[in-house]
Every structure is written in structure tokens, then in C-alpha cells.
Amino acid sequence: MTRDDLKAFCALDIDFDSIGLLQSEAEDFAYFCTPADAEYVGRIGCDGVHFILLPGDERVYCVDPSMGEIGSYVLPVGRDLREFLSFVLYCHDANPLSQIYFLSEERFQTFAADEAEARGSGELEELFEAKDAALAKIAEAFGIAPIEPYARVKALQEAFDPSVLRFSDEYYDTLGIERE
């Protein structure tokens, strides 16, 4: 189901950039810490942060090369693509989901609310129009509504065992660790 949803998502006629899920060729996404055989969902366009699916796994993962800590470069941010997209609807962007692992709930809520404040400024009206249009199409295409993500994502991340991840030789070479 998630793979069909990914195809449908990528085929949408929306401004992916406006919601932090830029689309490009797979080679543009890959970093030393991108697991082998990753399927790309999108990237936020900053610091190499991107979202992926893994073979045989329905969860959506966030890959963050700037984490700098073994075991936290790749963390789940949704049980499946529809849940992940429901979280994006709530946050109005994928970027806040990439930061849940290190934010307190209070700071996350403040971060997520910052957009509402920015909307009032009028300076980014065009971006917010594109964002609203993209989010509306996603909600309609998948029949989903916004879901508050913080507790759900934290629970996924706390239960996650990173030993299931498979990495390339570049990962081990970059980090200077022995292949497991």
C-alpha cells in the first residue's frame, strides 16, 4: 500500500518545495548515511535532510546527515506514508518532523506554531498559497486529515532498533567504524 501511495504522491501536480518535500533524482538525495536500497519520498532542501522508505518496511524515515551521532542519522517519522503525510498536514511542512528527535514537546509546538505567526506578516503570501494548495491536494488525494505528530513520532523513535538498517561501505568508511 505504501509503495502505491508513494507513486500517487509523486505524481501529484503540486509544489513539493513549498511543503519541504522537494523531488529530484535519487542521486541528489544520497548521503553517506542514507541506508542501502532507500526509496526517496522527498527532501527538505537543507543540510541533506531527506525522507525515505526502506525495502519491506512501511515506515517513513528521516535521514539527517548533520546529526553526528551513530544510531540517530536515520529515525522513523511515520508508521506509513499516509500517517507521515497527515503529520505534514498538521505541521504545514515536513521540516518540523525532521527535528522532533531533539526537541521537547513545548519547543516542537512553538516551532510548528511559528508558521502561523509568519503567515500574519504578509511577506510570504505566495509561498503560503502554494503550501495551502499542495496540502489541500494531498488531503483530498489520500482522504487524510492533520494528525498531531509529536507523541507518535517520539514513540516510534524510542521503539526503533537501528540494527535493522543496512548501510553502504561509505557509511562505515566515513565514520571510521567496523562493518557489523
Side-chain angles (χ1 to χ4, degrees):
M1 180 76 159
T2 292
R3 296 328 188 260
D4 292 338
D5 286 345
L6 180 59
K7 287 178 189 169
F9 172 71
C10 292
L12 290 175
D13 183 19
I14 62 172
D15 182 348
F16 291 96
D17 297 11
S18 70
I19 58 170
L21 289 170
L22 286 76
Q23 302 292 300
S24 60
E25 296 300 317
E27 298 79 39
D28 295 339
F29 284 96
Y31 278 77
F32 75 95
C33 58
T34 302
D37 304 323
E39 294 177 68
Y40 299 93
V41 175
R43 60 186 173 88
I44 66 169
C46 180
D47 297 329
V49 176
H50 54 286
F51 300 93
I52 62 167
L53 298 171
L54 295 174
D57 193 338
E58 295 296 305
R59 293 174 289 191
V60 176
Y61 291 88
C62 178
V63 178
D64 186 344
S66 66
M67 275 312 306
E69 187 175 320
I70 296 172
S72 63
Y73 288 111
V74 182
L75 292 170
V77 290
R79 289 179 301 157
D80 58 33
L81 188 65
R82 286 178 186 243
E83 181 179 71
F84 171 75
L85 293 174
S86 292
F87 296 161
V88 172
L89 292 177
Y90 178 88
C91 297
H92 301 278
D93 200 288
N95 185 31
L97 299 173
S98 72
Q99 299 183 38
I100 286 177
Y101 72 93
F102 69 85
L103 293 176
S104 68
E105 185 169 9
E106 179 182 337
R107 181 63 190 115
F108 173 77
Q109 294 303 337
T110 300
F111 181 62
D114 285 348
E115 180 174 305
E117 193 173 306
R119 281 179 182 267
S121 72
E123 295 175 20
L124 303 171
E125 188 174 329
E126 204 171 296
L127 169 67
F128 290 121
E129 286 175 7
K131 185 181 291 276
D132 291 343
L135 295 170
K137 281 189 179 180
I138 291 168
E140 180 182 345
F142 294 99
I144 57 175
I147 297 175
E148 200 288 322
Y150 188 84
R152 291 173 189 237
V153 171
K154 280 290 196 184
L156 274 173
Q157 292 176 350
E158 288 170 10
F160 178 61
D161 177 5
S163 69
V164 302
L165 300 172
R166 291 185 333 106
F167 293 103
S168 69
D169 290 337
E170 182 184 10
Y171 174 82
Y172 297 98
D173 294 345
T174 300
L175 296 176
I177 57 176
E178 291 293 316
R179 189 176 256 296
E180 298 172 359

